[in-house]
Amino acid sequence: MLESDFFKRSRPDYRRLETFGFRNNNGTFEYSEVLPDEQFRAEFSVTANGEVRGRVIDLETGDEYLPLRFENQIGSFSGNVREMYLEFLGKIEGACFLPVHFIFDQSNRVEARIDRECNARAEFPWDKYPGNGTFKCSENGKWFAALLTVEFGKLTGGAGTTRPHDEDETVEVINLKADPDQIPALVKRPGVYPAYHMNKTHWISVLLDDTLTDEQVFRLIRESYRLASEGKGSKVKSTGAWMIPSNPKIYDVDAGFRGGRGEIEWHQHNDIKPGDEVYIYSSAPNSAILYRCEVVASDLHYHGMFKESKGYERSMRIRLIEKYPPDKYPLSFIKAHGGSVVRSARSMPQELYNAIKKAR
């Protein structure tokens, strides 16, 4: 459909719709405008769930003008009407819609969570496939995920999906690294397939149509990140130390340690194990590593210690070993020794780990 294709990489901002002049008709926002030639009227609507519809009405007959829906009418009368209608849609998109990288809602939710928790922005390396994005580990620059568009019929060897799709329907998948020993079991789960267009021994494709919940998808993403960051050439494999972020506006770490007699619970993103060292990075206004801790227990049930606890299922218990002043390991020190701003749990670069040990 012309309208759904036109707006497939954008989402409505309902406040902007009303400002633009859309009328709210029981939750459906409607707008119409006479096109420049004054022979046709364009009508457009957006439903509460983001579905877009449109049509062009011939003012003389009162009927919908259907020939504009044929792309090969360029230069003809209907082609000119089509161009006017596309300009009308473009005006609405620019004023009332927000751009997104991917077509489907789960894809965009997953992208936002990867950015937030893995500190990895989508990159789009292929001009021929502008909707295909990749994500890299910050430690070594290796891919841990690729979000791709594909015809559903090209996904083979899996257990299928709980949602119906036509063979030639465009869907989005995220390719993830997985333990080769686990892949035979994983592809028996609905929504998981042998990797499309990648090595099926080490990768899987996960269909982003909400067959799997966001949390189920993200468990697979965490494992993929771990495998990619600890692969050949990684800077961090043998440190046994981790960096985790804290936001003083959300959680008072000092109060937590006092209340827990030197121990606190923390949500767990990675395969952190008892005995590992954990360094807590405090964001602005500190922007520095302030705490060195030891993991005393991991893979616990998460009790929601933070305000933003939704979506976490695992936690660890850490014991305070040492607290540092903000000027001892500031962000400038971290960057000078191979690190960066800490926005998600990650292995500590070997160079930074050695520098901290030397400066203690």
Side-chain angles (χ1 to χ4, degrees):
M1 185 177 180
L2 189 156
E3 291 79 13
S4 58
D5 285 344
F6 193 96
F7 291 93
K8 66 182 178 181
R9 298 190 190 277
S10 57
R11 297 293 182 268
D13 183 324
Y14 291 92
R15 290 174 297 181
R16 294 186 184 184
L17 290 173
E18 290 187 301
T19 300
F20 186 82
F22 277 76
R23 181 172 58 89
N24 188 345
N25 182 11
N26 295 321
T28 296
F29 290 78
E30 301 173 337
Y31 178 80
S32 66
E33 181 180 299
V34 176
L35 294 179
D37 70 347
E38 299 185 350
Q39 297 181 57
F40 297 91
R41 182 180 70 250
E43 299 178 349
F44 187 76
S45 66
V46 184
T47 66
N49 65 0
E51 183 181 356
V52 295
R53 302 189 186 100
R55 61 178 186 166
V56 171
I57 302 298
D58 186 325
L59 293 177
E60 183 176 346
T61 66
D63 297 328
E64 181 178 359
Y65 188 73
L66 296 176
L68 68 87
R69 299 196 174 271
F70 299 99
E71 294 184 46
N72 59 355
Q73 301 297 315
I74 297 174
S76 65
F77 178 79
S78 58
N80 292 334
V81 177
R82 178 185 175 91
E83 288 180 11
M84 286 189 293
Y85 183 52
L86 290 176
E87 289 180 6
F88 165 79
L89 295 180
K91 180 172 65 174
I92 290 176
E93 182 183 39
C96 307
F97 282 66
L98 300 174
V100 293
H101 284 146
F102 301 106
I103 299 172
F104 297 104
D105 288 341
Q106 187 171 38
S107 303
N108 289 299
R109 295 196 307 268
V110 165
E111 179 203 16
R113 191 163 173 181
I114 289 175
D115 186 6
R116 184 173 68 249
E117 298 187 20
C118 301
N119 191 29
R121 297 283 180 90
E123 299 179 4
F124 299 88
W126 301 290
D127 292 338
K128 189 177 179 180
Y129 304 102
N132 290 351
T134 62
F135 301 86
K136 296 177 181 178
C137 298
S138 58
E139 294 91 345
N140 56 18
K142 291 181 176 292
W143 289 5
F144 68 91
L147 210 158
L148 312 173
T149 57
V150 58
E151 290 182 1
F152 179 70
K154 294 183 178 179
L155 299 175
T156 59
T161 175
T162 60
R163 300 172 183 270
H165 297 285
D166 295 331
E167 292 290 296
D168 58 353
E169 180 180 349
T170 297
V171 295
E172 288 175 326
V173 298
I174 187 166
N175 282 5
L176 301 169
K177 293 200 77 171
D179 185 334
D181 293 336
Q182 299 298 319
I183 288 179
L186 288 173
V187 297
K188 292 180 181 179
R189 298 171 58 183
V192 182
Y193 295 84
Y196 167 74
H197 219 62
M198 293 180 77
N199 188 326
K200 293 174 173 53
T201 301
H202 298 279
W203 292 79
I204 56 174
S205 289
V206 179
L207 186 61
L208 296 178
D209 69 344
D210 287 296
T211 293
L212 274 68
T213 66
D214 290 0
E215 183 57 35
Q216 289 172 326
V217 173
F218 220 79
R219 285 197 210 114
L220 298 171
I221 291 172
R222 293 187 191 113
E223 174 65 5
S224 181
Y225 192 103
R226 183 188 71 82
L227 291 169
S229 67
E230 295 184 355
K232 183 178 180 181
S234 170
K235 303 174 184 176
V236 299
K237 182 176 180 180
S238 61
T239 64
W242 303 83
M243 304 169 71
I244 58 176
S246 69
N247 187 336
K249 296 178 182 178
I250 296 176
Y251 182 71
D252 188 334
V253 177
D254 286 329
F257 278 126
R258 287 195 300 270
R261 297 183 179 182
E263 294 185 1
I264 54 176
E265 178 192 12
W266 205 281
H267 52 242
Q268 180 181 339
H269 295 293
N270 304 73
D271 288 340
I272 297 174
K273 298 177 176 58
D276 286 352
E277 284 184 296
V278 170
Y279 291 80
I280 301 177
Y281 173 87
S282 179
S283 59
N286 296 306
S287 299
I289 292 173
L290 299 187
Y291 309 90
R292 179 168 70 96
C293 309
E294 180 185 6
V295 180
V296 296
S298 62
D299 295 312
L300 305 175
H301 177 70
Y302 184 61
H303 295 99
M305 50 177 276
F306 294 125
K307 293 178 182 178
E308 81 286 11
S309 60
K310 184 178 179 181
Y312 298 112
E313 295 187 354
R314 295 190 302 161
S315 71
M316 58 186 175
R317 180 159 288 276
I318 57 178
R319 178 187 299 124
L320 179 62
I321 303 299
E322 191 174 7
K323 182 179 178 180
Y324 308 117
D327 61 351
K328 188 171 181 66
Y329 302 121
L331 182 57
S332 57
F333 180 93
I334 295 170
K335 289 184 174 180
H337 295 90
S340 61
V341 174
V342 183
R343 295 192 178 96
S344 61
R346 65 185 63 182
S347 297
M348 177 175 280
Q350 184 74 58
E351 180 185 347
L352 178 59
Y353 181 64
N354 293 339
I356 290 176
K357 286 179 66 177
K358 185 177 180 180
R360 281 181 196 166

